Amino acid sequence: MTGPAAPSYAVRVAEEHADREACFTVRKQVFVAEQGVPEDIEYDAYDAGALHVLAVRADGVPLGTGRLLYGVAAAERTGGDPAVGSLGRLAVVREARGLGVGAALVRVIEDTARARGLAAVDLHAQTQALGFYRRLGYEAYGPEYLEAGIPHQAMRRSL
């Protein structure tokens, strides 16, 4: 009997310009085209200094992305604690959902946060994704609120 097949994708930090552009393309496809988030609020000033991660299929097709804000950039979203990072803009293209891509992206972001000395990661989860994040160890806190017209709730996971 053989074990499970290796994933047909890889996740990496998006350091090259082409990788970062692929991240923005995935976000446009998921958030702007699918979910109707206005493009002028999808991309923000934090993108330039954020750490972006990219999931790509073996043939190079982008499947998903996410970003980590840390330090001063994260303070606004995490209550000002410099030891807490902010995971955001997690997006997986429709055809790759259910393959573990989202969880793999979150784990790479968490590993990077740990390597930067962060003690926890916060995120603003769309309420329809709360179960996904709970399965990854995140706990919801605070009231539900609207962000870009979509119901969200804050969540945190200690690292």
Side-chain angles (χ1 to χ4, degrees), residues 40-54:
D40 62 327
I41 65 170
E42 172 52 33
Y43 307 103
D44 59 27
Y46 297 117
D47 280 327
L51 179 129
H52 298 268
V53 295
L54 176 67

Side-chain angles (χ1 to χ4, degrees), residues 65-110:
T65 188
R67 77 176 186 189
L68 174 68
L69 303 178
Y70 51 92
V72 174
E76 178 182 308
R77 299 181 67 85
T78 63
D81 187 342
V84 179
S86 177
L87 185 159
R89 303 305 202 265
L90 189 74
V92 176
V93 298
R94 183 172 289 150
E95 57 271 18
R97 293 177 194 154
L99 302 177
V101 174
L105 287 161
V106 170
R107 294 307 185 218
V108 169
I109 289 169
E110 291 172 345

Side-chain angles (χ1 to χ4, degrees), residues 108-126:
V108 169
I109 289 169
E110 291 172 345
D111 290 346
T112 303
R114 253 187 234 95
R116 292 182 180 274
L118 300 178
V121 173
D122 263 20
L123 56 86
H124 295 185
Q126 292 183 8

Side-chain angles (χ1 to χ4, degrees), residues 138-153:
Y138 287 81
E139 295 180 15
Y141 66 90
E144 184 177 295
Y145 56 92
L146 289 178
E147 193 170 293
I150 301 168
H152 282 72
Q153 186 161 24

